[in-house]
Amino acid sequence: MKEKRIRYQTTGTYETLNHLDKSTKNVWIVLHGMGYLSRFFLKHFEGLPPDENYIIAPQAPSKYYLTNEYKHVGASWLTKENTALETKNVLTYLDAVWEAENIPENCKLIVLGFSQGVSIATRWVAHKKLPIHQLVLYAGGIPNELRPTDFNFLAQNKTKIKIFMGNKDEYITEKRLKEEFKKIKSLFEGQAEVVIFDGGHELKKEIINNLAE
């Protein structure tokens, strides 16, 4: 057998919440976890003041039925199959979303990844190197291939880096927690604020609401 590759054009979707206008202060790019659709993920951001916050929720490309009842659909960003190639495809898609939105320079940009979305948020931030105001990594793992030099620009831009983990998160073992702290220390050199909250693998609205400035 031989694996072959082709290139072709495709069309993707993404969801937005609120309006981008002169009153917008914060623009969020929020990357959902495994099993979400972007339109449902946006519900976690409905508590933000709508006139000041514009939220963009890209959609992971690989959709699947969540149960054998074939009713509810979820999505995944990546798997271990052809990860490098699929990562390039996802980054190209996110670049296209960014270009389509034409964000004003005066808006504060917040990039948030939840669960599997953390791996996408960190890869895209390292790839795009935008002058973001906040990088929020919530209940997820940082990819092993990333290096401190990928994030040097964050210190230059005085980007706020906030990392949230639940103390009852069933996906974060003691071993994995140690590995993540090692990555955080190496990649962000004391720039990151780590918050351990009381809860599991969940997005807390009070945390989200407090991120807006």
Side-chain angles (χ1 to χ4, degrees):
M1 293 191 299
K2 182 178 181 180
E3 180 181 83
K4 298 183 178 182
R5 295 184 178 184
I6 60 169
R7 284 190 176 188
Y8 63 97
Q9 279 192 319
T10 185
T11 301
T13 64
Y14 64 99
E15 303 280 339
T16 63
L17 178 66
N18 305 328
H19 299 284
L20 180 62
D21 53 34
K22 293 180 180 179
S23 64
T24 303
K25 293 182 179 179
N26 304 309
V27 173
W28 302 62
I29 297 178
V30 298
L31 299 153
H32 64 76
M34 186 180 294
Y36 273 97
L37 292 179
S38 54
R39 66 177 179 271
F40 298 120
F41 189 59
L42 277 179
K43 293 182 181 298
H44 294 285
F45 303 87
E46 292 177 341
L48 295 166
D51 55 330
E52 297 181 353
N53 294 275
Y54 179 65
I55 302 96
I56 303 166
Q59 176 61 63
S62 299
K63 299 180 183 69
Y64 57 92
Y65 287 107
L66 294 173
T67 68
N68 57 9
E69 295 179 350
Y70 304 105
K71 291 182 178 180
H72 302 292
V73 176
S76 171
W77 289 102
L78 298 169
T79 67
K80 65 180 181 180
E81 184 71 15
N82 281 334
T83 305
L85 174 62
E86 296 297 339
T87 297
K88 289 182 179 179
N89 292 337
V90 166
L91 295 180
T92 299
Y93 159 74
L94 292 175
D95 287 348
V97 171
W98 173 257
E99 294 299 326
E101 285 296 318
N102 194 25
I103 305 300
E105 292 183 1
N106 63 298
C107 293
K108 293 180 178 178
L109 180 61
I110 302 170
V111 176
L112 179 146
F114 171 69
S115 192
Q116 191 189 39
V118 168
S119 69
I120 305 303
T122 48
R123 285 178 169 121
W124 187 63
V125 166
H127 155 77
K128 197 67 175 175
K129 290 182 169 53
L130 294 170
I132 61 177
H133 184 68
Q134 286 192 68
L135 174 61
V136 182
L137 308 180
Y138 198 124
I142 301 170
N144 293 326
E145 78 267 15
L146 296 175
R147 297 292 179 262
T149 52
D150 293 321
F151 299 103
N152 286 344
F153 73 101
L154 294 179
Q156 297 170 3
N157 294 329
K158 297 182 179 179
T159 300
K160 297 179 181 179
I161 303 170
K162 298 181 180 180
I163 299 172
F164 297 92
M165 301 179 187
N167 59 4
K168 300 182 181 71
D169 193 324
E170 63 270 30
Y171 296 107
I172 302 179
T173 63
E174 185 175 348
K175 178 182 178 181
R176 184 176 174 186
L177 188 62
K178 290 180 179 178
E179 291 173 351
E180 290 304 315
F181 272 112
K182 186 177 179 180
K183 291 179 193 175
I184 293 166
K185 183 179 179 181
S186 170
L187 294 175
F188 305 124
E189 299 180 351
Q191 191 181 355
E193 175 189 356
V194 180
V195 177
I196 307 295
F197 63 86
D198 185 25
H201 197 72
E202 57 185 320
L203 272 167
K204 288 184 173 284
K205 283 195 173 183
E206 59 268 27
I207 293 178
I208 299 301
N209 294 343
N210 286 335
L211 292 171
E213 297 186 5

